Amino acid sequence: MTLLKEFILPRIAQWFVVVFVGVTVSFMIPRLSPVNPVDQAVGRATSFQTMDPKAALKMRETLEDLYGLHGSTFDQYLRFWKRVLKGDLGPSFSAFPTPVNKMIGNAIWWTIGLLGTATIISWC
């Protein structure tokens, strides 16, 4: 029983705190940034061609809905948590329309390889 109280429960509580802080920081950083990804996407789409203003407004609304930017910040935060718990990280800001899950899936093997190599080298 002492092992559970002194070692396992504090580690589980620490894990929950780390996950909560990490997800919260991941939510807040893009919102504190002076760069608006919706403005950037609309700007990229309209910079090379003429676009009907109504189509540009519709595109802006669609992107805001896709990125979950409707409602108050607290509502956005709750929807962000729901998506994270479902495993849906949404589309990438930088590589639109590629899903973030696909980008992580492509990069995870390089990360595992580098981490494994570094671990083996450090053991030697």
Side-chain angles (χ1 to χ4, degrees), residues 41-57:
V42 172
R44 280 192 306 262
T46 59
S47 65
F48 297 111
Q49 61 189 2
T50 57
M51 183 181 269
D52 182 33
K54 291 180 184 177
L57 286 174

Side-chain angles (χ1 to χ4, degrees), residues 5 7 20 43 48 60 63 76 122:
K5 282 181 8 186
F7 185 76
F20 176 77
F48 297 111
R60 174 180 297 281
L63 288 173
Q76 292 176 22
S122 69

Side-chain angles (χ1 to χ4, degrees), residues 12-121:
I12 291 173
Q14 181 183 21
W15 181 82
F16 278 112
V17 169
V18 168
V19 169
F20 176 77
V21 170
V23 170
T24 302
V25 168
S26 297
F27 172 80
M28 292 304 297
I29 286 176
R31 281 148 185 86
L32 296 175
S33 172
V35 177
N36 186 347
V38 174
D39 288 339
Q40 282 186 331
V42 172
R44 280 192 306 262
T46 59
S47 65
F48 297 111
Q49 61 189 2
T50 57
M51 183 181 269
D52 182 33
K54 291 180 184 177
L57 286 174
K58 182 66 177 167
M59 181 179 178
R60 174 180 297 281
E61 290 173 6
T62 303
L63 288 173
E64 286 177 350
D65 186 45
L66 188 63
Y67 289 134
L69 299 176
H70 288 296
S72 69
T73 306
F74 184 71
D75 292 336
Q76 292 176 22
Y77 182 66
L78 292 178
R79 284 194 306 271
F80 185 76
W81 265 104
K82 286 178 188 175
R83 288 176 74 174
V84 166
L85 292 175
K86 287 182 189 175
D88 175 20
L89 301 178
S92 169
F93 286 142
S94 61
F96 184 81
T98 307
V100 172
N101 291 349
K102 184 175 181 180
M103 294 177 70
I104 291 173
N106 292 339
I108 194 74
W109 301 113
W110 287 102
T111 304
I112 290 171
L114 289 170
L115 181 64
T117 304
T119 303
I120 290 170
I121 290 172

